Structure formats: C-alpha cells, structure tokens
Amino acid sequence: MTGPAIETGAPVRARATAEALPSVTVPSRAPSFLGDTWRIARKDLLIEFRTRSGFLSTAVFALIALAIFRFSWDPTAVNTLDLAPGVLWVIFTFAGLLGLNRSFGVEHADRALDALLASPVSREAIFAGKALGNLVFLLGVQALAIPTLGLFFGLPLGPEWLMVAAVAVLAAVGFVAVGTLFAAVASNTRLAEMLLPMLSLPFFMPVVIPAAQATARLLGDQPLSEAVPALKILALFDIVFVVACTLAFPFTLEE
Amino acid sequence: MILRVVQEATELTPPSAIITNVQDSAPAIPAPQGATNMPARTGPPDTSYYMKLGYVAAIVIFAAYIGLLLKRVAGTRRSR
Amino acid sequence: MTSVSAIESRPATRPLPMVDWLLVLSLFAVGGALTRALLYTPADAALGAVQRIFYIHVPSAILGMYVACTIMAIGGGLYLWLKDDRLDRIAESAAEVGFVFLTVVLVTGAIWGKSSWGTAWAWEPRLMSALFLWFVVLSYLVLRDALENPEARARLSAVLGVLALLLVPFIHMTVYLFRGLHPEPIVLQPSKPAMSSEMLGTFGYAVLAFTLLFFALVRVRYQWATARDARLALEQA
C-alpha cells in the first residue's frame, strides 16, 4: 500500500515546490508562513485523500476498538458514563499514534524530506503544515468515533455533545503538536513505530486525563464549572506545547 | 429551646457510662520483639522487616549500577 | 566531529582509573549516614523502624526528580545552543544516574507504603509524578540507545530533555486535578512530621552523602562516555 502513496505523493510535492519557487524569484511576493503551512498541509492531505489507506485503517481501528470495549463492558458493574469517556480517549490516543506514524514515514520513504528541506519553506512552516495535516486527520477520526460512541453506548443526544466536540478539538491541538514533534524525532530511528508511543505517551497524559474528565463531567450533565479546571489545563497545554514544539522542531531535522 | 435542651441531655454522658478500666478477656499480647540494637518499644508496630527490605533493595540497586559502571570502565581499559 | 571532541580525545588516551577516589569517598559517606540512621537515630513513634527508609527515600527523590532532571534539561538546552559534546555527555550521565535514583525512590517507596499504608502502590499525586518522570527518563535513555549517529543522538535527545522539563508542571497539575475529583480514602500525605533534632541531623547527613554519591556516579559515567566517544572517533577516523 505504500507504493501508490509515493507515486501520488511525488507530483503533488513537485507542484508544491513549483508554487513556492516564484516567491524567491519575484520579490513582490514574500514566502508567507501561513501560505507555506497551508501548502504543506494540503500536500499531506492530498496524499492521504488519494490513497485513503491511512485514514481508513485508523477509522476501522477506532470503530473496532469501540465495539470491543462495548462487548466486554458489563453494564451491571460499571456505569456507562464512568466507562465511555475513558474508552473514547484511549481510542483517540492510539488512533492518533497510528496517523502520526505515517506523517514522517511518507517523507522518509524516498528521502522526500530532503526536497522539502531544500525548498524555500521555513522549518517552522513545515512543522505547522505537518501538524495541521495531522490535526485534520485526527479530527476526521473523532468526527467518526464520537457519534459511534454515542450510538454504541446508548448515550442520549443533547447540546452537551457540542461541548464534547469543543473539548475534542482543544485536546487534539496539544496532542497533535507534541505527537508531530515526536514523530519527527522517532522517524530518525529504525524503530520509529515502536519508539513513538514510548516517547509521546507520557506527554499525552496531561491531555488525555483532563479531556476524559471534562468529557465525563459534560456527559454527566454536571454544570460547566465542573469541567473548567480540566479545560484550563488543556488550554494551557495547547499554548505551551504548540509554541515549544514549533521552536524545537528545526532541531529535529539534519542541519 | 426545647430541642437544644433535649440535645444536650442526650449528648451528656452519665458518669457511670465512662469506662475507666478496660476489661479485656483476650490474653495479654506479648511485647513486640524489635531488633537487638533498638530500644524496646511498646507503642509503634514492629516494622523492622520492611526497613531491612528497603535498605537491602536500595543497596542492591546502587551496587548493581556501580557494578555496571565498573564493567564499562574495565571494557574501555581492556580495549586499548 | 567538531574541534571539541579533538580536545576531549586527549585525556581519554590516559586509561580511566579503575578506582575512582570520589566514588569511594561518597560510598564511605553514604555508609556513614546509613549507619547513623540505623544505629544512632531513634525510630519513629508511629511508623516504627520502617520510617528509617526516609533517609534513603527522600534524598534519592530530591536528586532523582529535581537535580537529575534539571541537569538533563539544561544540559540538553545548552547543547542545542552551543553544540558542545561535553554538554550532551553531562545530560546523558545525569539522566542515567537519575534513573537509578528514581528507581530507588519507587522501590523504597513501595516497600514503605506496604508497611505504613498497607498498600505498595496508591494512585496518589506524588507517586504518579514520580512514575511518569521515571517513564520520561526511561524513554530518554531508550531514544539515545536507538540512535546510532552521535550528532543526531545528542540533538534529538536534547529536544526530548528540554520538553520533559516543560512537561513536569503539567503532570503535577493533572495529578492534582485527578485527585481533587477522586478523593483518596487513605490519608497519604505524610504531613511533614515534626522531626527530632537527631532525625533532622541524620537526614542532613544523608542528603549530603547521597548528593556526593550522585555527583560521583555522574562523574564516573561522564568520564566513561568521554572515553567511549573518543574511541568511536578514533575508529571512524
């Protein structure tokens, strides 16, 4: 399945750099950070969209895991609302790791990363673009998994699901920032797929625990103020680690 | 007011109900045997087993690491 | 290799001493502190003899959690700035020795907990912080092991070391949030027992002795890393 990814990836990448080239020759249009970020993210998402193998396998993983948890759940022993948030966030963590592994694997496949580094795109923009692509990927998985959770666990529909979606986005931002950075670190090793969970799981802990807790409070129809401490940690984590990982990312690439 | 009086009355313990001498039918528990180098204690539980376990565990971990370091140093000496 | 490693390869031509005097001195200091703790310091009135684990547990926690992790992060951060191999070796040595101290903290803590709390492990903030820090340092060491190119190893592990320092406050916040909503049935906080002056004196000795041991171990580990890197540079030249 990696074959088509490389074949479709190369022309897209070539176009991305071709678009970036005039920005060097024509001084009137300076290379913009946001523009570069968008081009990198679009390139990754195009590869993803054309092959669909990564997203499909991750989505299938998430749905199967939800089904397994639902089957192994004893409703007389554990309350739905005690179980569902934890299940949801454990699944997001592992589904997210599956997506992150691909993020730099694609670039290392035919040393496409070298071409990316040779292009006049700042390294921070490469990071932001990669992270944006991963964010869209993870939000896609969440958009599929959250309604399925409600369906499988028989949770009532209500306006609190909008807040759950907001928590999911808030958590996904911090998750993706840290995960993209460690995916870049791990991609330098031969054991990338095995090393990434080990490196990133301790860092996901301050994302996953508050997110699961906020989800539990919201679905439990408790007042919003109950979820605020967890949301504060998530927001602070997002700010600190988005900045720190963007600054640290250039160091993960060869000079 | 009446409630308060009733409450005080129920909270008051008659002097006859206060137990001064504990009568225990169980046989006397022998005093815990501490390590020989410790003063005889009566109050605290005898936890010297866990103390020894903790000290031995810590010393073993440190010794193992020092052993590893010595092995590495010896390795660099041998190779030259 | 940079010019720094060329300078560093000079002392490595001298073989490393098999007996490191500072390490021997620190071992005598630790032995003295533990002897004082076992023989000349009264046992705790409530917890009994097991309280003497305190003289190993707390100094190890201070060194493993705070000193080692700070050196690991600062060494890594300075390496990214100055690109001096020695800084990487300092960070590497502090992380490895810190891992040993953290392991001692977890093991002695479990034994003490089994005696005083009745359970070897409780999901309590301090324990969780120590455990996650142990995981982070372990992943730092595994990452170093997985990277073969010395330059990439130093650079990438420095990134992890710096981020680890940012992670620590978040772990603390999260575990306190976790606890705030799930109150523990057991009172675990050993709320600063008013120590007698003898206990305080022994504790002071123990902190000094273990600090000496920590830096002696880091020094030996650092010297070994220097010799290893010099030999590697010689083989590649």
Side-chain angles (χ1 to χ4, degrees):
Chain A
M1 268 312 209
T2 49
I6 296 160
E7 277 167 33
T8 47
V12 179
R13 203 156 38 237
R15 208 172 65 212
T17 44
E19 277 176 14
L21 272 178
S23 66
V24 176
T25 49
V26 183
S28 64
R29 195 180 142 250
S32 75
F33 179 81
L34 289 178
D36 289 343
T37 300
W38 168 240
R39 274 186 283 277
I40 304 267
R42 198 185 59 183
K43 167 190 84 67
D44 277 4
L45 292 171
L46 258 177
I47 297 173
E48 195 53 61
F49 181 74
R50 289 189 182 161
T51 61
R52 282 182 287 267
S53 59
F55 184 78
L56 275 180
S57 57
T58 306
V60 168
F61 162 78
L63 297 186
I64 290 178
L66 275 173
I68 289 173
F69 272 114
R70 176 61 185 83
F71 273 120
S72 61
W73 167 51
D74 178 6
T76 56
V78 184
N79 185 13
T80 319
L81 284 175
D82 290 338
L83 184 72
V87 166
L88 190 67
W89 286 96
V90 165
I91 288 172
F92 283 161
T93 307
F94 289 101
L97 284 171
L98 284 180
L100 291 168
N101 264 328
R102 287 174 51 83
S103 179
F104 284 89
V106 163
E107 302 293 347
H108 277 271
D110 51 355
R111 295 203 59 82
L113 192 62
D114 291 349
L116 203 58
L117 293 178
S119 67
V121 175
S122 77
R123 281 150 187 225
E124 286 82 2
I126 295 179
F127 176 76
K130 283 275 170 198
L132 188 63
N134 287 332
L135 183 65
V136 174
F137 183 94
L138 186 62
L139 291 179
V141 175
Q142 288 179 337
L144 206 63
I146 292 178
T148 312
L149 176 91
L151 187 72
F152 281 7
F153 284 75
L155 298 170
L157 272 177
E160 68 269 18
W161 286 97
L162 280 177
M163 278 305 295
V164 171
V167 171
V169 173
L170 207 57
V173 170
F175 182 96
V176 155
V178 172
T180 307
L181 183 85
F182 284 128
V185 169
S187 70
N188 286 281
T189 67
R190 276 182 287 108
L191 313 155
E193 285 82 7
M194 286 164 76
L195 207 57
L196 178 62
M198 185 169 188
L199 291 177
S200 47
L201 281 177
F203 283 81
F204 290 159
M205 182 265 208
V207 176
V208 173
I209 289 180
Q213 214 159 68
T215 309
R217 304 273 161 266
L218 291 168
L219 292 183
D221 272 337
Q222 293 180 29
L224 191 61
S225 59
E226 287 277 304
V228 164
L231 294 179
K232 273 187 186 161
I233 292 183
L234 282 179
L236 195 63
F237 187 93
D238 285 358
I239 294 167
V240 169
F241 277 90
V242 165
V243 172
C245 293
T246 309
L247 294 178
F249 178 75
F251 292 110
T252 67
L253 304 169
E254 280 173 53
E255 298 295 308
Chain B
M1 192 60 186
I2 295 163
L3 261 177
R4 183 158 176 81
V5 170
V6 171
Q7 198 181 4
E8 274 175 6
T10 51
E11 275 175 5
L12 261 178
T13 315
S16 59
I18 300 171
I19 301 165
T20 46
N21 293 322
V22 182
Q23 302 253 319
D24 199 344
S25 57
I29 302 156
Q33 294 294 312
T36 50
N37 55 9
M38 273 189 283
R41 288 172 290 103
T42 45
D46 180 19
T47 50
S48 59
Y49 165 73
Y50 287 106
M51 176 193 82
K52 286 172 197 156
L53 194 65
Y55 270 67
V56 168
I59 289 167
V60 164
I61 293 168
F62 280 126
Y65 184 64
I66 291 170
L68 175 71
L69 277 184
L70 288 179
K71 208 177 117 195
R72 284 170 171 175
V73 169
T76 59
R77 284 162 64 91
R78 214 177 313 117
S79 66
R80 89 188 48 245
Chain C
M1 280 307 220
T2 56
S3 58
V4 172
S5 61
I7 300 164
E8 280 299 298
S9 65
R10 188 161 38 81
T13 52
R14 225 175 28 233
L16 287 175
M18 201 56 219
V19 178
D20 184 81
W21 61 266
L22 188 63
L23 185 58
V24 172
L25 185 73
S26 70
L27 288 176
F28 272 109
V30 169
L34 295 189
T35 308
R36 178 178 159 144
L38 289 174
L39 299 185
Y40 302 108
T41 309
D44 186 83
L47 300 175
V50 76
Q51 183 267 340
R52 291 191 174 110
I53 283 180
F54 175 80
Y55 304 114
I56 296 177
H57 182 79
V58 177
S60 301
I62 293 170
L63 290 160
M65 291 177 76
Y66 301 110
V67 178
C69 290
T70 310
I71 295 176
M72 178 178 94
I74 292 178
L78 287 177
Y79 173 83
L80 290 178
W81 181 30
L82 301 168
K83 299 280 172 190
D84 187 328
D85 289 349
R86 285 174 294 186
L87 290 165
D88 175 55
R89 266 176 249 140
I90 290 172
E92 171 193 4
S93 307
E96 195 181 283
V97 176
F99 182 73
V100 173
F101 276 72
L102 279 173
T103 309
V104 167
V105 172
L106 291 178
V107 170
T108 56
I111 292 168
W112 191 359
K114 185 73 191 152
S115 166
S116 295
W117 300 338
T119 171
W121 186 264
W123 289 106
E124 191 264 347
R126 284 194 211 187
L127 276 74
M128 273 175 83
S129 301
L131 181 69
F132 274 91
L133 214 52
W134 189 82
F135 279 134
V136 169
V137 178
L138 180 63
S139 67
Y140 177 90
L141 295 174
V142 171
L143 175 68
R144 293 195 69 94
D145 212 42
L147 290 160
E148 276 152 24
N149 174 6
E151 192 273 333
R153 182 174 59 209
R155 187 161 41 80
L156 295 173
S157 59
V159 168
L160 178 59
V162 172
L163 288 181
L165 198 64
L166 290 180
L167 178 69
V168 170
F170 281 98
I171 292 181
H172 276 275
M173 275 186 265
T174 307
V175 296
Y176 276 99
L177 170 86
F178 181 64
R179 184 178 106 127
L181 297 162
H182 293 266
E184 283 287 334
I186 324 158
V187 181
L188 298 175
Q189 227 64 348
S191 53
K192 284 295 162 202
M195 283 194 288
S196 72
S197 59
E198 284 162 304
M199 285 178 171
L200 213 59
T202 305
F203 178 60
Y205 271 119
V207 169
L208 278 179
F210 277 102
T211 306
L212 203 60
L213 177 67
F214 177 83
F215 284 104
L217 287 173
V218 169
R219 184 167 164 270
V220 173
R221 177 66 176 74
Y222 173 84
Q223 287 172 344
W224 174 74
T226 308
R228 176 203 62 192
D229 290 356
R231 205 179 70 195
L232 212 66
L234 216 65
E235 279 167 5
Q236 285 173 352

